[in-house]
Amino acid sequence: MSSSPREAGSLLRHRAFVQFWFAKNASSFGFQMMSVAVGWQVYEITHRALDLGLIGLVQFVPSVLLALPAGHVADQFDRRRIVAACQAVEWIAIALLAVFSLSGHLTETGILALVFVVGVAKSFEFPALQSMLPALVPIEVLPRAMAANAAAGQAAMIAGPALGGLLYVAGPGSVYGVSAVLYLVALVLISRLAYDHQPPRREPATLKTLFAGIHFIRNRPAVFGVISLDLFAVLLGGVTALLPIFAKDILHTGPWGLGVLRAAPAVGALLMSVWLSRRSLERRVGPIMFASVAGFGVATLVFAISNVLWLSVVALFALGAFDMVSMVIRGALVQLETPDDMRGRVSAVNAIFINTSNQLGEFESGLLAAAVGAVNAALVGGIGTLVVVGLWMWWFPSLRRRQALVSEPEPIEGASDTI
């Protein structure tokens, strides 16, 4: 029996998503392996903690400075070709890390320069890659597809560094070599992906077009609400930077305990993302999103008052699981509320919010812990997250009442539930 055109189209979309998923998984594993090798190798060369900070800096700076131009490019050109070009640049940079490491000619400056190249390429890759997903799956299964993507990312974060650490026994060149192979696999899969994107008539890059994503977000209550909720919840509620203090001074455990604490949120997020990839979020998505962020805050409070390792691990596990639920809903809402010709620029602005909240969140946690102590800092973070949830439910009633991910378009001007 032959399938209908609609069924055939759905099948092709499914195949395209599977190919996309494997490509993203391969590059994620490669990047995580490269990251652990870069950190270890730089410290072996210099024995200076400051240089480890420079690794993050040379990646963070381009991710913020180039975000808006990258979003403009993603909306003006073929996104598949942008991703393929960026991954080709990343593959070349990682291959050079492998070649120079194996030849013994790699210096700290060379490592930082090549990592900076990877950071620049990733700045342009991110908005284009994020904007591709809605065209690869039917709208009704987009949240499940995003959860499957998130599961791959969490798996890479857990297993990638471990695999990179094992391979490092044979030298950094071996880690970079395997990472380069994984990037090559991702590049081939993306290049052969069946993806139909017809970019609109190209516009010159002006201040208006570059800042169009910010203007769009500010005038869409649903999009502005979920992105700002993520920013302030992560900014206030993050405790990752404080884990060494809790492990040593409060839970009285060693490096192995710190490793378990660091892994717990990722494991919780991974298991929840696998569950969400098999379930559809079809009703009460707004209340579920706010409840998940509130759960994140409560888990932070439990972690703050715990003085036994098992309870702290359970709290961090729950924290990661709650965060994954809200992340999938927020991500799907942003994608579905944004027209295709704006998805690149909106994803770029979202990337700035994500990077800022993660980086400033760690800084805020450390600064507050230095002033009032680690336990009080975590308590303030958990309470602050709950306050943010309450305020956002009040300021964005349409989000609080949101039942389905797909809704009627909101008016651009004169919205009643903006701050």
Side-chain angles (χ1 to χ4, degrees):
M1 180 184 295
S2 61
S3 59
S4 68
R6 182 176 180 179
E7 291 172 338
S10 177
L11 180 60
L12 288 174
R13 281 185 169 189
H14 177 69
R15 287 176 176 173
F17 170 71
V18 171
Q19 189 172 335
F20 176 86
W21 186 87
F22 275 106
K24 193 172 185 297
N25 208 16
S27 62
S28 296
F29 265 89
F31 180 76
Q32 293 296 333
M33 292 172 61
M34 179 208 74
S35 298
V36 73
V38 163
W40 194 275
Q41 190 176 22
V42 166
Y43 194 69
E44 274 192 333
I45 294 172
T46 68
H47 299 286
R48 293 192 300 263
L50 176 62
D51 296 285
L52 296 178
L54 291 177
I55 298 172
L57 183 64
V58 297
Q59 296 177 82
F60 175 71
V61 170
S63 72
V64 173
L65 295 183
L66 298 176
L68 296 182
H72 175 80
V73 169
D75 285 336
Q76 297 297 309
F77 298 92
D78 188 303
R79 291 166 182 157
R80 180 178 60 84
R81 293 184 178 180
I82 294 171
V83 174
C86 291
Q87 290 188 344
V89 172
E90 293 162 31
W91 171 69
I92 292 171
I94 296 172
L96 288 175
L97 284 171
V99 171
F100 289 133
S101 289
L102 292 172
S103 65
H105 294 95
L106 192 59
T107 64
E108 179 202 7
T109 302
I111 294 173
L112 293 176
L114 290 171
V115 170
F116 177 77
V117 171
V118 172
V120 171
K122 280 203 164 292
S123 299
F124 283 90
E125 178 190 359
F126 180 83
L129 192 67
Q130 290 290 100
S131 304
M132 288 176 65
L133 186 55
L136 299 176
V137 295
I139 290 177
E140 59 270 17
V141 298
L142 179 62
R144 293 171 58 190
M146 295 186 70
N149 262 345
Q154 292 296 328
M157 288 178 64
I158 296 171
L163 181 58
L166 289 174
L167 288 174
Y168 200 93
V169 175
S174 63
V175 183
Y176 299 135
V178 174
S179 178
V181 170
L182 289 171
Y183 262 92
L184 185 59
V185 171
L187 174 59
V188 171
L189 289 174
I190 286 292
S191 299
R192 298 173 61 87
L193 183 66
Y195 174 72
D196 183 22
H197 174 232
Q198 299 296 330
R201 181 176 60 85
R202 294 178 186 174
E203 302 176 73
T206 63
L207 288 177
K208 180 179 180 180
T209 59
L210 288 177
F211 285 89
I214 296 176
H215 178 75
F216 177 89
I217 290 170
R218 184 63 186 87
N219 289 292
R220 295 311 196 280
V223 179
F224 180 60
V226 296
I227 290 180
S228 56
L229 176 65
D230 178 51
L231 170 65
F232 287 101
V234 174
L235 186 64
L236 293 173
V239 294
T240 303
L242 305 180
L243 290 184
I245 300 175
F246 276 88
K248 183 178 181 181
D249 299 337
I250 297 169
L251 301 174
H252 305 293
T253 185
W256 71 271
L258 176 60
V260 173
L261 291 172
R262 282 194 174 277
V267 173
L270 173 61
L271 295 180
M272 179 56 72
S273 62
V274 171
W275 188 83
L276 289 173
S277 69
R278 303 174 63 86
R279 301 289 190 277
S280 295
L281 293 169
E282 298 177 350
R283 303 176 65 182
R284 298 178 58 80
V285 295
I288 290 173
M289 178 186 70
F290 282 117
S292 298
V293 180
F296 179 91
V298 171
T300 302
L301 291 175
V302 173
F303 175 78
I305 63 175
S306 170
N307 56 11
V308 291
L309 182 60
W310 71 265
L311 181 58
S312 298
V313 170
V314 170
L316 290 174
F317 177 92
L319 182 149
F322 281 125
D323 188 46
M324 178 55 62
V325 175
S326 65
M327 187 187 78
V328 168
I329 294 176
R330 292 193 312 264
L333 280 173
V334 170
Q335 294 283 9
L336 293 173
E337 291 286 332
T338 306
D340 185 67
D341 62 346
M342 286 294 301
R343 283 194 177 118
R345 281 167 285 187
V346 171
S347 294
V349 176
N350 196 21
I352 295 176
F353 275 55
I354 292 171
N355 288 328
T356 300
S357 62
N358 288 336
Q359 299 292 333
L360 290 184
E362 292 188 4
F363 176 73
E364 178 270 338
S365 296
L367 192 65
L368 193 58
V372 300
V375 172
N376 289 330
L379 286 172
V380 169
I383 294 171
T385 300
L386 295 176
V387 171
V388 166
V389 170
L391 290 174
W392 261 243
M393 291 178 70
W394 179 30
W395 284 334
F396 300 95
S398 66
L399 279 179
R400 186 183 69 239
R401 297 189 295 262
R402 185 80 173 236
Q403 294 297 309
L405 288 170
V406 181
S407 69
E408 292 298 322
E410 297 184 62
I412 298 179
E413 303 293 344
S416 60
D417 57 350
T418 57
I419 296 175

